[in-house]
Structures are given as structure tokens and as C-alpha cells.
Amino acid sequence: MTMQGWTLILVFVALTVALAKPMGMWLFALYEGRRTPLHRVLGPVEQGFYKLAGIDPNAEQGWRRYAVHMLLFQLVLALFTYAILRLQGVLPMNPRGLAGIGADGALNTAISFTTNTNWQWYSGEVAMSNLSQMLGLAIHNFLSAATGIAIAFALFRGFARRQASGIGNFWADCTRITLYLLLPICVVYALFLIASGVPQTFLSSIDATTLEGAKQTLVMGPIASQEAIKMLGTNGGGFLNANSAHPFETPSALTNLVQMLSIFAIGVGLTWTFGKAVGNTRQGWALLGAMMVLFVAGVSVVYWQEASGNPILHGLGALGGNMEGKEVRFGIAASALFSVVTTAASCGAVNAMHDSFTALGGMIPMINMQLGEVVVGGVGAGVYGFLVFAILAVFVAGLMVGRTPEYVGKKIESREVKLAVLTVAILPLCILGLTMLASVLPDGLAGPLNKGPHGFSEILYTFTSGTANNGSAFGGITSGTPFYNGLLSVAMWLGRFFMIVPILAIAGSLAAKKYTPAGAGSFPTTGPLWVGLLVGIILIVGGLTFLPSLALGPIADHLAMIHGQLF
């Protein structure tokens, strides 16, 4: 570990916290439906969409109607992308003449991008045409991100409204988020990437001569535009197979830092928006404080493990940290930081191969996802996941102080607690259940590259990433088979929508409640005690649920390494 590495981490944390309020203020304006400076230009476009679709943006929707409209929208988008991928071979903008994608692969990819997972069983540059990348996939980068933020807005309204039947309008939320937040930022972001050296072209490829005089064909395409929303929308799907480790996606240390900041920007901004929505910004800062505690703890462990290196290699004279699978341009600190950022959010982009991390260094990204990526989370998904844990935490606090639990003026009763438990339960049910199937069936055992505990970690990471809608891969598993494509499709769909629907039900239940002012016996939810309780509940729930599987995988792998055995 070096001072330079720790400085990078501290600067990143400081910049992330500094982004919370300005981003939160813009999000709050969209949450309330207020006019912004962009309305003068984009307002007619917004109204045109409503008129074309026959939508009244001021019509309130109850949680059931909100959920049905959201689910139908996602289903239509998934079918649209499936059709494009299957017909890729006969559609235009296919300069390399790529064939259509097979049925199981197209289904997996369509569900992957619809659910904001962006799991990629394929190599982008050799499987996807420009049309598939731009229309079939990038459209989801915007709309799945907008959907996540819309769900967060709906939950905020549940806490903020009093004896109301509606939680907003899904179509208005999704349209405003896309038009006034995601698109404008991505235009500026893409221009920055282009100026930094990221390609944006319709050329299929170029021929280059290396320093040794060899000829090499480099795949090109509209990369910068997809890279911008890939990061801002915490999507993570790379145009190129090497993802953010490729110099065409991340040319420099500066672009690497900007990309990490953009992954967290909306997530941290939503914490401030929540505080503002419920009339107490300290509530939002408390959520952000708990997120940063978990994040700093995670990145410290990964950096420590990767900088410590492999003791077996040290014994052979190869001293230093673990550089296997890492870009020399970034080094250990930036790679460790990126791995925690991308799994603390639902991004899944990678600038290093997690399969090549040390056992405990690779375990932390896995834990981040198993906790529901509440550490900071993706666009919306992190903050609404954190609020679910907040409901469980105030329930525990209510038991301790001997009165009905309350949070931001709403009594938390049995219905909210049951729905919160249902939301939390979907992750272990899918992750552990599907990992069990893949660990005993021949088709599942054919996937991992390695044997022993490391091979088990590859399977566990795969279903953790899919269910948590992250999309990053450990890197050593062959997942592009009908078996894995099918099971991962199930995991991604359940992990996304079997969480969202109960959360919308919570929003509807809370919106109908009256406001209950805090009393002398109320548990405070803005100070260090609350932050500690919230962090503790998250770790205990995750620890009790996933510790046995982690003991069979990365922990056993680490203990074997200490005793001189590698897998």
C-alpha cells in the first residue's frame, strides 16, 4: 500500500460526498416536477411524448397501477431487444456481417439489459452489430436507469405524503428523468470521452501497425456515447470484451476517475433528495454516512489484500502486490477502488479481472452485491434498497425502546416489515438456490475454469452478480451456454422485479398513513447511533445469510493459499 493509493481513495470519497447536494438538488426538482432551465428547450419534446402516447402526466397512480405500467413497459422493451438480436444478421448497420444471436443468448441479453444487469456472455466486438449496440442495448441503458430512479421517487413519495392514494406517475417520472437528467449529462460526458481519446465512429475497424511492425485490426464503433450512459446509468455493459480495461473505453487515469465518480453520482444525489423530500436533509446525510462507512471498509480490505499479494509467490522471490489481471495504466489502488465502486453500485463495469484478485480481495465485491448493492447502489436501486434496511432497522429499534417503530414520521407496522423481509429474501433465495443447482448438475460444473473453492466462487459470483443486477463477472466461468443463459435470465428477472414490486407496495402503504411527529420515546434516525445500527443490520443480515457460502468459496480459498495451495 502506498500514500498515493490512499490519497486516490480519500480524494474519491471527498469528491463523491461533494457531489451529493448539487446532484440531489437537480433530482429533487425532477421529483417534484418543477421546471428546470432545460425545460425551455426540451419541454416541447416532453409534451410531445405525452400527446403521442395519450398520457396525462398529472394523473396520479396507486402503487398497483404504477407497478403494472412499469412491468408492461419492461416486457415490451425486452421483446423489442430480443427481436433485434435475433434478426441482427438481416438488419442494417452491421458492417462486419455478424449473424443473428441464438435464442437462449438473445433472451439472456434482452433480459440482462432490461433489468439494468448488463451481464455479457459474449464479446461485444465479435457478436454485436452497431445497430444492436446502439438501438437494441443502449436504449436500455437509459430506460432501465430511468426506471430505477422512478421507483426511488415513488418510495420517497410514500414516506413524504400523508394519507394519499397515489405515488406519482410512472410515465412522467421516466420521461423527465431521461430527458432532463440522463440525456443532457451523457451528451457532455460523451464529448469529454471523445476529447480524451474514446472512439465515436461508424467505422467497422482500422488496421494498425504495432511498434514491432506487426499488423493488427482494431474494432471501432460508437463507443463514447455508450460508455457515457454505461457509467452514469450504472449499467456496465461494455462495447468491447475487455470492458473498462480496454484503452478505447478508458484511455487514462483521468477518465478512470471520472467514470468512477459518474457511477456514484446519481446514487449519492438520491440520498440528499430523500432528505429534502421528507423535510429533513439530515435524514439523507445519515443514509450517505452509512453508505460511506460500508464503502470505505470494503475498499480498504480490497486494497490491503491486493497490495499484500500472494505469499506463495513471495516465497518464490516474486515480491510485491498482486498485479495479475490488472492494467499497468491503473495499478493496484485504482483497480481495487474501481472493483468496489462497480459492485457497491449496480454497475458491473470492470477495469481489472476480479477472478485474478486474491481470495479475500475478490470476496468484497461479492459481498457488496449480496447485500443488495446498498453500499451506494445504482441509479435508484441503492437508495430504495437502503430504505428497506432502514425499515428493518427501525423495527429492531422499536423493539429496543418498547414502542411502535417510526421512521421520518411514518409508523412502521407489520405490513411494511413483511414486505421489507420479502424484498430482502429474494436475493438469498435466488443466489443460493441457483448456485446449489449449478454446483451439482453436470452442465453447471462444466462452467468454472478452476476447481475447488475458487471454482465454487466463480459459480457463486455468477449468480450473485445476476440476481443483484450487477453484471460483472469473476471472469473464469464459461456462461454462454443454454444452462447458464437460462438460469441467469431467471435470476436477473426475479432479482430486479421481485424486489421492485414489494417496494412499490411499501410506498403505497406508507403514502396512505398519516404523519406521526417524533416524541420523547422515538428512536433518533439522524445521528451516529442510527448510522451504526443501520450498518449493523445490513452486515448481520448479509453475514448470517451468505457466510456459509463464502466460507466454502473465498474464505476456504484464502486459507488454502496460506497453507501453500492454489486453485
Side-chain angles (χ1 to χ4, degrees), residues 52 97 120 250 253 269 293 303 312 354 375 519:
L52 185 65
Q120 294 176 283
T250 312
V293 168
Y303 184 31
I312 297 177
H354 296 179
V375 178

Side-chain angles (χ1 to χ4, degrees), residues 232-520:
L232 183 68
T234 62
N235 297 281
F239 192 97
L240 302 165
N241 186 45
N243 207 281
S244 292
H246 198 292
F248 279 179
E249 292 201 19
T250 312
S252 66
L254 176 60
T255 55
N256 189 60
L257 176 61
V258 171
Q259 287 180 1
M260 289 189 291
L261 288 171
S262 63
I263 292 172
F264 271 10
I266 295 176
V268 298
L270 283 168
T271 62
W272 192 92
T273 304
F274 171 72
K276 185 68 173 176
V278 299
N280 184 355
T281 55
R282 292 180 63 193
Q283 296 287 353
W285 289 119
L287 291 181
L288 182 57
M291 290 178 177
M292 288 297 103
V293 168
L294 291 168
F295 173 71
V296 171
V299 76
S300 297
V301 172
V302 176
Y303 184 31
W304 163 51
Q305 283 295 301
E306 296 307 301
S308 298
N310 189 323
I312 297 177
L313 297 180
H314 293 171
L316 297 174
L319 303 178
N322 176 33
M323 276 297 294
E324 180 188 346
K326 298 179 179 64
E327 271 288 312
V328 177
R329 292 177 295 139
F330 305 133
I332 291 175
S335 300
L337 178 59
F338 198 107
S339 72
V340 180
V341 168
T342 196
T343 52
S346 61
C347 185
V350 294
N351 73 351
M353 298 301 104
H354 296 179
D355 194 41
S356 296
F357 279 29
T358 60
L360 297 186
M363 181 180 72
I364 298 301
M366 204 181 306
I367 291 175
N368 284 341
M369 295 183 288
Q370 289 169 347
L371 295 178
E373 293 166 323
V374 298
V375 178
V376 169
V379 285
V383 72
Y384 64 61
F386 226 94
L387 288 172
V388 168
F389 277 107
I391 289 172
L392 297 178
V394 294
F395 174 71
V396 172
L399 294 177
M400 291 191 294
V401 300
R403 60 172 288 174
T404 303
E406 301 166 3
Y407 186 54
V408 296
K410 295 295 179 76
K411 286 187 179 296
I412 304 300
E413 298 174 301
S414 61
R415 175 176 170 80
E416 292 78 41
V417 174
K418 290 175 183 177
L419 288 168
V421 170
L422 179 62
T423 302
V424 172
I426 191 62
L427 285 173
L429 284 174
C430 276
I431 293 171
L432 299 179
L434 297 177
T435 298
M436 174 195 69
L437 287 176
S439 299
V440 297
L441 296 178
D443 286 342
L445 293 173
L449 175 66
N450 303 98
K451 303 299 181 183
H454 197 83
F456 178 77
S457 294
E458 291 175 352
I459 297 174
L460 179 62
Y461 193 105
T462 296
F463 290 107
T464 297
S465 178
T467 306
N469 301 138
N470 183 270
S472 65
F474 224 37
I477 195 164
T478 301
S479 63
T481 63
F483 176 85
Y484 276 103
N485 280 340
L487 284 189
L488 280 168
S489 296
V490 172
M492 291 184 290
W493 193 265
L494 295 181
R496 177 71 162 180
F497 299 114
F498 274 54
M499 284 189 68
I500 284 179
V501 173
I503 285 170
L504 289 174
I506 292 173
S509 178
L510 291 172
K513 293 177 181 288
K514 63 181 181 180
Y515 179 78
T516 304

